[in-house]
Structures are given as C-alpha cells and as structure tokens.
Amino acid sequence: MVNSVLECKAIRMFYVKQFRSAGILDAVFEVNCILEQVTGMPWHSIRQISPEQHQKINSMIQRRISGEPLQYILGEWEFYGMKCFVGKGVLIPRPDTECLIDLIAQKFRRSEKLNILDLCTGSGCIALALKKIFPDAEITGMDCSPEALAYAEKNKNYHGLDVQFIRGDVLNTTFAENFDVFDLIVSNPPYLTSQEMQTLQTEVSHEPATALHGGSDGLDFYRNMTKIWRTALKSGGMLLYEIGEQQGKAVSEILASQNFRNIQITQDLAHRDRIVSGDKI
Ligand code: GLN
C-alpha cells in the first residue's frame, strides 16, 4: 500500500494497466471516473493524491477488477443529463433507454397536463427525466422492490422533482383497477430470456435478476402488463415499452391482440429496435 503523496500520472498509468490486464475495455475512462469521484476534480487537473484518497481509489479499483459494475462503485450514473444515484439492488440506467424520453418528448406537448405512469420504475430515471421535460405532468412511478424505490426517492429528492413513487406489484390486477386513468403508461420492464440470463456479462450479473428476467421468452411482463393496465389508460392514451432488440414483432402483436392502434416500433441510436408504442382506442 502506498502511503505517501503520489504523482497522479503514475497512479493513473498503474491502474490503467491493471484494468487492461483484467480485460476492462474502457480502462482509461473508468480509471478517470474513479479518480474524479475521489478527488472531486477533473482528471486532467489532478496533480497529487493523498494517501487517504489513494486508499479509497485502490479499494474501488479492486471492486471493479472483481467484476462489479463501475456505476455501482461510483454510486451514481448519468441518465438524460441528470445525475442518478444507483447501487446494489437497482438496475443501472442505460443510454438505450434515453430514446424513450426523446420519443415521448416528440409525441406530447410540453405544456400538456399529462397524467403519466412509469411501471417498473427502478431508479426512477424515466419518471424523473419526464418530469423535467413536462413540469406540469402528474407522474407516478411504481416498482415492487424497496431497494430500487429507496434510490428513486433519493434521486427525486436530489433533483427536487415532484414525482410520486409507490411500491406495488405491476402484475397485480386489483391494484391496477384502483388507479386513475393515464394519458401515458411507459415501462422498461424486465425482458431478458431465461437463456440470456445464463450468459450475462459479469457486470450485468451484479444487477437484480428481478429487473432483468422477463420469463422463458422474455415477454411475460409485456403479455401481462398490457392486459392488466389497458383499463388504466384513457381512450386515446398511449402505451410505450422499452423492448429487447429482437422483440419488436412479438410485442407489437401483444399490443394488437389487446386492441391497441398505431402500433410503432422505434429504433435507438444504434439502429436497434428499442421501443414499441401503441394507442388505446
Ligand atoms: N437492457 C438491459 C440489458 O440488456 C435489460 C433491461 C431490462 O430487462 N429491462 O441488460
């Protein structure tokens, strides 16, 4: 263990090499993220690192080498330009999900007094990003996981946004019947297949399986939520799901079977099918 004030450059080089040997592809970026968080400075302005800081850095580096996701180690990640606190027990917001926000921002007018429900809200990132865009909207986020909801509350308080988070099972029919009607129901549900769950990237295997696994074919939540929550949509209201890139056709068929119209598949920035949306008639 190093216990004197060290040149930052030497430390960076040392850890980048360790990350590379551990097979971490974005070694420089990830080392910089850790250094920035511990020192509170942009990596290029850091000149020296104290022994206390170095100890913290070293323990974060070791966690990362052991396969933990960088986002959990940092305790925060960015989603749609917003800081989002994350940690064990909650799904890490993905950039893929940002295109849901873009699409909703295109479909509705900012000044509309929308009533929006975000099912399987997790960290609350979708609900909170929408509240920023639609300040007059009434937004509710729902999740069954107390760990995830603790992060959603923390994120809401950090950003000072008025969103309601509630604990509930999104597959509970009676629960759904007791809700007001919504203009928009959005969800990024668990959608990985049982087979995909067997071959998760090490980092992803640290995330809660309940946020990832959508049953044997990955479609359980789409099948059940579409049926259950249809009644909670206004006529003309929109249902909008994030999907796995292979699921566009199957999820569109689920929406069609429940009488949704204007069913559309939208791609993400990498040109992969990422959203299925439809209107309730
Ligand atoms: N997009 C995530 C992944 O590929 C899965 C998230 C989800 O199931 N909603 O790991």
Side-chain angles (χ1 to χ4, degrees):
M1 187 66 222
V2 186
N3 58 9
S4 61
V5 173
L6 289 169
E7 284 299 321
C8 180
K9 188 173 173 198
I11 292 181
R12 286 180 66 222
M13 287 170 72
F14 177 73
Y15 286 129
V16 166
K17 198 166 161 213
Q18 280 207 355
F19 271 10
R20 290 225 168 99
S21 328
I24 296 169
L25 296 177
D26 261 342
V28 175
F29 169 76
E30 295 206 14
V31 167
N32 287 344
C33 285
I34 290 174
L35 289 173
E36 289 190 349
Q37 204 202 47
V38 172
T39 62
M41 291 167 80
W43 64 265
H44 49 82
S45 311
I46 308 167
R47 292 286 169 268
Q48 291 185 318
I49 288 172
S50 71
E52 295 73 33
Q53 287 174 331
H54 191 241
Q55 208 166 358
K56 271 194 206 155
I57 292 165
N58 191 55
S59 100
M60 291 165 90
I61 296 274
Q62 296 321 315
R63 283 170 66 189
R64 183 68 192 97
I65 288 172
S66 75
E68 205 176 324
L70 177 69
Q71 296 89 335
Y72 281 180
I73 297 165
L74 298 175
E76 62 186 54
W77 200 239
E78 205 184 270
F79 179 78
Y80 216 77
M82 294 170 77
K83 187 199 277 212
C84 187
F85 295 99
V86 291
K88 204 147 186 61
V90 70
L91 188 82
I92 298 163
R94 317 287 208 251
D96 307 336
T97 306
E98 292 173 336
C99 68
L100 267 72
I101 312 294
D102 280 336
L103 185 66
I104 297 166
Q106 277 165 28
K107 298 241 182 205
F108 295 90
R109 271 178 292 116
R110 313 256 148 155
S111 54
E112 270 182 90
K113 254 192 125 327
L114 300 165
N115 204 3
I116 302 176
L117 176 64
D118 174 26
L119 297 171
C120 311
T121 195
S123 65
C125 63
I126 295 178
L128 295 169
L130 289 176
K131 183 67 184 174
K132 271 222 152 161
I133 297 175
F134 301 102
D136 296 330
E138 256 189 56
I139 305 187
T140 306
M142 191 190 293
D143 205 285
C144 62
S145 155
E147 289 89 2
L149 286 177
Y151 282 104
E153 288 292 339
K154 188 173 175 185
N155 289 322
K156 160 182 144 171
N157 294 333
Y158 179 80
H159 291 287
L161 292 168
D162 182 16
V163 168
Q164 190 194 16
F165 288 115
I166 48 178
R167 189 170 170 204
D169 177 2
V170 302
L171 302 183
N172 183 326
T173 317
T174 350
F175 198 51
E177 281 164 0
N178 287 323
F179 267 85
D180 210 5
V181 281
F182 295 92
D183 300 283
L184 168 69
I185 297 181
V186 57
S187 183
N188 173 18
Y191 57 68
L192 299 188
T193 64
S194 297
Q195 202 177 354
E196 285 167 330
M197 290 300 291
Q198 300 303 312
T199 52
L200 291 179
Q201 211 187 311
T202 316
E203 286 81 358
V204 180
S205 70
H206 282 75
E207 295 184 270
T210 47
L212 296 166
H213 189 203
S216 57
D217 65 355
L219 300 170
D220 280 3
F221 281 79
Y222 303 113
R223 268 191 292 262
N224 295 313
M225 289 198 314
T226 309
K227 220 182 286 170
I228 292 172
W229 290 95
R230 190 180 194 285
T231 49
L233 266 179
K234 281 182 193 166
S235 132
M238 181 185 288
L239 179 63
L240 194 146
Y241 288 133
E242 172 167 332
I243 55 155
E245 59 188 283
Q246 311 292 342
Q247 296 171 327
K249 187 165 174 277
V251 177
S252 299
E253 282 169 9
I254 291 170
L255 262 66
S257 74
Q258 293 295 322
N259 264 324
F260 281 83
R261 293 287 187 274
N262 300 326
I263 297 165
Q264 283 175 11
I265 300 176
T266 308
Q267 296 189 326
D268 60 20
L269 292 177
H271 300 285
R272 289 174 302 216
D273 290 352
R274 188 58 63 200
I275 304 171
V276 169
S277 58
D279 299 335
K280 178 179 166 179
I281 36 165

